[in-house]
């Protein structure tokens, strides 16, 4: 495409599992939610793997170790080794090790995943600001993280410790709905200290660097449910992406996305790895995908036709993104989206 921005989802004549050698898969909201496999995930990943696609699991959730994540995936029916898992804990530990001396003490606000990653890089986890840490690292600690951990972080930072965060996702999907993520916890410490952390996780370069180093992917496809981490991370890394609608992003958010949040492909779930992607073509003043045609009428997006509703969403994305150009689409999409019932 000649534009610097993506104006429509792309098509593919072959299955995405054949077009790309490695799927860089987010976990929460893509493979599982609240510990349970998302519908169609297990069988889709199994088929992609059997077809020769390498599966790597790239998560901003720093709570669990790669061994624990791999064990959980295997229990769900998705065989995985610890080497297939890349976490933001690993990315932030490498970032810290590049700046801190070996053996440096680090106050940990988070789970075991952070502690293991720090030890692998020669850093020493501690639990109190009174242990003289030179740095603080903050990662998702689960729903039972004590409030006092934030106080320890604030004390250490106010005494001069350098602050790092594994990621700043404000929310995390679970079996019961959307819950506060590590980004919400980071805001607590930010408000208390006025400081700014160095962040490693998606969509920032340290996470992309960690993923490339650990997977060796040549033709990677980022697969995620979040525009502001997964898709933006793929944009920053210059690689293609597939957005699935099984997590936090809904149709209205996707339609309104500015360029860095626009995925290469859009599908309902991980079955999209196993199929080609339909072409979105110009049709008069609008765009057609499958049996749907989308366009702009006045200050609103309009949608006509019928068929597979995900095709209607792809057509709407083309109309909205083309109209918005390098900005975010501000057109009224409510009636058009309501027709899709996604």
């Amino acid at each position: 495409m000649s534009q610097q921005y993506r104006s429509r989802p792309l098509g593919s004549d072959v299955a995405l599992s054949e077009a790309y050698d490695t799927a860089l898969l987010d976990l929460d909201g893509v493979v599982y939610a609240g510990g349970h496999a998302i519908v169609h995930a297990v069988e889709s990943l199994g088929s992609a793997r059997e077809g020769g696609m390498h599966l790597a699991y790239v998560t901003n959730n720093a709570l669990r170790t790669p061994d624990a994540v791999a064990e959980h995936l295997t229990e769900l029916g998705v065989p995985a080794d610890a080497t297939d898992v890349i976490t933001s804990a690993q990315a932030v530990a490498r970032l810290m090790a590049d700046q801190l001396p070996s053996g440096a003490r680090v106050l940990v606000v988070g789970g075991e995943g952070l502690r293991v990653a720090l030890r692998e890089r020669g850093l020493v986890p501690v639990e109190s600001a009174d242990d003289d840490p030179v740095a603080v690292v903050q990662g998702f600690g689960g729903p039972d993280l004590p409030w006092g951990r934030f106080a320890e972080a604030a004390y250490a930072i106010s005494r001069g410790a350098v602050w790092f965060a594994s990621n700043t996702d404000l929310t995390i999907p679970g079996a019961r709905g959307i819950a506060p993520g590590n980004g919400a916890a980071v805001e607590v410490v930010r408000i208390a200290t006025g400081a700014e952390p160095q962040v490693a996780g998606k969509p920032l370069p340290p996470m992309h660097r960690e993923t490339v180093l650990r997977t060796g992917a040549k033709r990677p496809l980022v697969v995620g449910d979040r525009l502001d981490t997964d898709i933006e991370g793929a944009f920053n890394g210059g690689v293609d992406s597939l957005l699935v609608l099984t997590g936090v992003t809904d149709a209205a958010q996707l339609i309104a996305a500015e360029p860095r949040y626009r995925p290469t492909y859009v599908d309902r779930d991980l079955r999209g790895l196993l199929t080609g992607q339909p072409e979105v073509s110009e049709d008069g003043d609008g765009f057609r995908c499958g049996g749907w045609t989308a366009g702009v009428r006045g200050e609103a997006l309009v949608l006509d036709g019928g068929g597979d509703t995900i095709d209607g969403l792809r057509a709407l994305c083309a109309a909205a993104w083309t109209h918005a150009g390098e900005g975010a689409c501000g057109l009224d999409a409510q009636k058009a989206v309501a027709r899709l019932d996604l």
Side-chain angles (χ1 to χ4, degrees):
M1 296 174 63
S2 60
Q3 300 102 319
Q4 295 299 310
Y5 58 88
R6 185 176 306 287
S7 64
R8 71 187 79 171
L10 294 187
S12 176
D13 293 332
V14 300
L16 297 183
S17 58
E18 299 175 23
Y20 300 89
D21 68 342
T22 306
L24 305 180
L25 295 135
D26 184 45
L27 288 173
D28 292 301
V30 175
V31 179
Y32 54 63
H36 301 286
I38 286 173
V39 65
H40 305 301
V42 173
E43 55 268 38
S44 297
L45 292 174
S47 296
R49 184 178 55 250
E50 289 170 6
M53 189 178 215
H54 177 218
L55 306 180
Y57 303 95
V58 186
T59 177
N60 263 359
N61 191 329
L63 177 61
R64 295 187 294 174
T65 66
D67 284 305
V69 173
E71 181 179 355
H72 181 208
L73 287 169
T74 301
E75 290 173 350
L76 293 177
V78 183
D81 295 324
T83 54
D84 297 324
V85 180
I86 301 95
T87 73
S88 63
Q90 293 170 323
V92 77
R94 189 186 297 268
L95 179 65
M96 297 173 74
D98 288 344
Q99 301 179 38
L100 304 176
S102 179
R105 294 185 173 200
V106 178
L107 174 64
V108 176
V109 181
E112 187 62 17
L114 275 175
R115 294 177 177 85
V116 169
L118 290 173
R119 294 187 189 105
E120 287 177 349
R121 293 291 164 196
L123 302 173
V124 179
V126 298
E127 301 303 315
S128 170
D130 295 335
D131 292 328
D132 298 322
V134 299
V136 172
V137 64
Q138 193 169 354
F140 185 66
D144 299 322
L145 185 69
W147 187 260
R149 302 306 299 155
F150 304 139
E152 292 298 324
Y155 301 150
I157 293 166
S158 68
R159 296 173 189 175
V162 184
W163 184 23
F164 296 85
S166 63
N167 68 295
T168 53
D169 297 8
L170 290 174
T171 60
I172 186 168
R176 298 172 60 195
I178 303 299
N182 190 54
V186 166
E187 285 302 311
V188 172
V189 178
R190 191 199 310 269
I191 291 168
T193 63
E196 292 289 336
Q198 295 184 50
V199 183
K202 296 180 286 186
L204 298 172
M207 190 67 172
H208 184 71
R209 174 193 177 202
E210 191 72 21
T211 300
V212 169
L213 288 173
R214 289 180 180 268
T215 65
K218 303 299 183 184
R219 290 179 292 113
L221 177 70
V222 170
V223 184
D225 70 307
R226 304 183 69 104
L227 299 181
D228 61 347
T229 53
D230 305 315
I231 305 308
E232 186 180 8
F235 177 87
N236 290 340
V239 299
D240 289 346
S241 60
L242 166 66
L243 179 82
V244 292
L245 301 177
T246 49
V248 302
T249 299
D250 61 26
Q253 291 168 330
L254 176 61
I255 289 167
E258 57 187 273
R260 69 180 185 272
Y261 300 141
R262 298 173 187 170
T264 313
Y265 310 103
V266 179
D267 223 312
R268 281 190 183 83
D269 50 55
L270 287 177
R271 289 176 295 178
L273 286 175
L274 308 178
T275 64
Q277 295 286 307
E279 192 74 26
V280 182
S281 58
E282 293 186 28
D283 184 35
D285 294 332
F287 294 87
R288 174 176 292 276
C289 186
W292 297 91
T293 301
V296 178
R297 188 174 302 153
E299 295 299 316
L301 287 168
V302 293
L303 183 66
D304 297 306
D308 190 343
T309 53
I310 199 69
D311 287 339
L313 178 58
R314 293 172 177 131
L316 280 171
C317 286
W321 298 351
T322 299
H323 182 271
E326 298 183 7
C329 182
L331 296 171
D332 181 2
Q334 185 174 357
K335 290 183 179 179
V337 169
R339 289 203 61 191
L340 298 177
D341 192 27
L342 287 168

